[in-house]
């Protein structure tokens, strides 16, 4: 069902008018606030209307206008998304995480990688220079699980300036949000 909905949402074979009706219905059903939505490709400088989105997927992954979210630079931690924090805690020696929908994952399976315990360092591939985070000094590893509801802005933001050098498709079952 999720894959079918995703293929309809991103389908360029459906006329834009069909997508616009779907977006309009979605906005009414989930009380989506479009006041901070940006026109696709505008670099966040123009406010969007439903007609600015060619597909439901473009709407669902919408950008925000510049300045829509103020970041408290004095805070120790800021949220990376508009979702609701459901769970957080320390990652134990077993590397288990309790996530959304009650499923428990090992960090190894979730990230598809061997995780050394304790890790020596993590390198972020920054655009200007490399930043090393030393985890060899009994540093606690924490997890945060956020739920993005249907009305939420569906993008995550990082608290550091870096460039993604690789992304990996994680195959598996897709569960609809209830």
């Amino acid at each position: 069902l999720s894959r079918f909905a995703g293929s309809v949402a991103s389908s360029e074979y459906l006329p834009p008018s069909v997508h616009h009706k779907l977006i309009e219905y979605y906005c009414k059903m989930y009380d989506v606030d479009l006041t901070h939505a940006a026109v696709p490709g505008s670099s966040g400088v123009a406010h969007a209307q439903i007609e600015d989105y060619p597909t439901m997927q473009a709407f669902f992954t919408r950008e925000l206008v510049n300045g829509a979210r103020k970041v408290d630079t004095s805070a120790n931690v800021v949220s990376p998304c508009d979702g609701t924090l459901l769970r957080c805690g320390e990652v134990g020696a077993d590397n288990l995480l309790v996530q959304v929908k009650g499923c428990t994952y090992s960090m190894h399976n979730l990230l598809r990688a061997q995780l050394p315990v304790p890790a020596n360092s993590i390198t972020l591939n920054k655009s200007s220079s490399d930043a090393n985070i030393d985890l060899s000094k009994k540093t606690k590893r924490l997890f945060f699980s956020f739920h993005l509801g249907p009305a939420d802005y569906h993008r995550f933001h990082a608290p550091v300036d870096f460039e993604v050098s690789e992304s990996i498709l994680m195959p598996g079952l897709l569960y609809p949000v209830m």
Side-chain angles (χ1 to χ4, degrees):
L1 181 60
S2 291
R3 290 189 203 285
F4 172 74
S7 65
V8 169
S10 58
S11 174
E12 295 178 6
Y13 295 110
L14 292 175
S17 60
V18 172
H19 283 285
H20 296 155
K21 286 292 183 193
L22 288 171
I23 295 167
E24 184 179 350
Y25 174 74
Y26 187 92
C27 288
K28 285 180 184 173
M29 185 172 173
Y30 294 110
D31 196 26
V32 176
D33 180 6
L34 287 177
T35 57
H36 295 130
V39 171
S42 73
S43 299
V45 297
H47 289 271
Q49 302 297 318
I50 289 173
E51 295 75 25
D52 292 319
Y53 298 102
T55 65
M56 182 73 180
Q57 184 66 17
F59 163 76
F60 198 65
T61 58
R62 64 195 174 274
E63 294 180 42
L64 296 179
V65 292
N66 297 332
R69 300 293 184 272
K70 304 294 184 206
V71 177
D72 183 352
T73 56
S74 67
N76 290 328
V77 177
V78 294
S79 178
C81 66
D82 278 0
T84 303
L85 178 63
L86 295 181
R87 295 182 184 267
C88 64
E90 186 176 347
V91 178
D94 59 4
N95 286 320
L96 293 180
L97 307 170
V98 178
Q99 298 295 313
V100 177
K101 301 173 188 164
C103 297
T104 300
Y105 302 94
S106 73
M107 283 181 58
H108 167 76
N109 288 339
L110 183 65
L111 301 175
R112 302 281 198 256
Q114 291 293 337
L115 297 172
V117 180
N120 290 333
S121 67
I122 295 174
T123 300
L124 298 176
N125 183 10
K126 290 183 75 170
S127 53
S128 58
S129 65
D130 286 342
N132 291 315
I133 301 170
D134 185 6
L135 295 179
S136 61
K137 300 177 184 171
K138 295 187 180 181
T139 301
K140 292 183 180 181
R141 293 181 293 170
L142 305 174
F143 72 91
F144 299 85
S145 296
F146 293 90
H147 173 260
L148 296 177
D152 290 326
Y153 162 72
H154 273 62
R155 290 186 181 218
F156 279 81
H157 295 270
V160 293
D161 183 21
F162 69 95
E163 189 174 293
V164 176
S165 60
E166 179 183 12
S167 65
I168 300 169
L169 174 63
M170 305 293 285
L173 297 174
L174 300 175
Y175 298 103
V177 175
M178 301 290 180

